[in-house]
Amino acid sequence: MARTGNKNIQAKLVVLGDMGTGKTSLVLRFVKGQFHDYEESTIGAAFFTQVLSLPDAAIKFDVWDTAGQERYHSLAPMYYRGAAAAIVVYDITNMDSFERGKKWVQQLQRHGNASMVVALVANKSDLESNRVVENEEGERYAKENHLLFFEASAKTAHNVNELFYEIAKAVAVASLNQQSGMKLQRRPDDLGRRLFCCSS
Ligand SMILES: Nc1nc2c(ncn2[C@@H]2O[C@H](COP(=O)(O)OP(=O)(O)OP(=O)(O)O)[C@@H](O)[C@H]2O)c(=O)[nH]1
């Protein structure tokens, strides 16, 4: 759960998605600015930290990069429990990974923290010629489910910093509103990109 105190916010962030979608690659791009053409499949989960500065706050992300292989799925609740944010990744060249991503979104909606910021990421945008999931499909699903949405590429770094920056902004808003006891409300006409306060 995010904590505020002189505008330093610590936020648990979990990364979910099918195997091979590029979860580790996105996190490594964000944390280390690196990309590897061969990335070993994650076993269990991997942990990273990164601080991101906003104009009014510093967010320290504790990132749990989970393993996409089916046999590790039962561990997922351990990683999304108490998370302030989640990134659900699919690969634009793999329709099954999009379907699997939807299942993760449903699971987070049912069992995750109600104020969790969830971002859907269509990764591997550099592989346009192999695309099978249209941008509009992902965007529509994200809008219907009030998710942030980004097409990104861990390989070229397209939209990776933007993704984490928008998550940090939304986490900061959610965290400050939680502290002040206000309820968050999602505005229906918004693209799912922001949370707006307030309702009683
Ligand atoms: N072209 C391209 N390849 C990518 C991109 N992101 C990841 N990859 C490649 O996809 C493969 C899988 O990437 P990983 O980051 O290991 O994927 P993962 O989702 O962490 O996989 P698991 O640990 O098995 O769940 C690797 O060969 C990466 O180099 C991308 O944006 N573009």
Side-chain angles (χ1 to χ4, degrees), residues 20-25 36-37 41-42 68 123-124 126 153-155:
T21 50
K23 297 178 294 301
T24 303
S25 300
H36 307 129
D37 276 314
S41 195
T42 304
N123 191 38
K124 309 197 185 180
D126 57 291
S153 167
K155 183 166 184 167

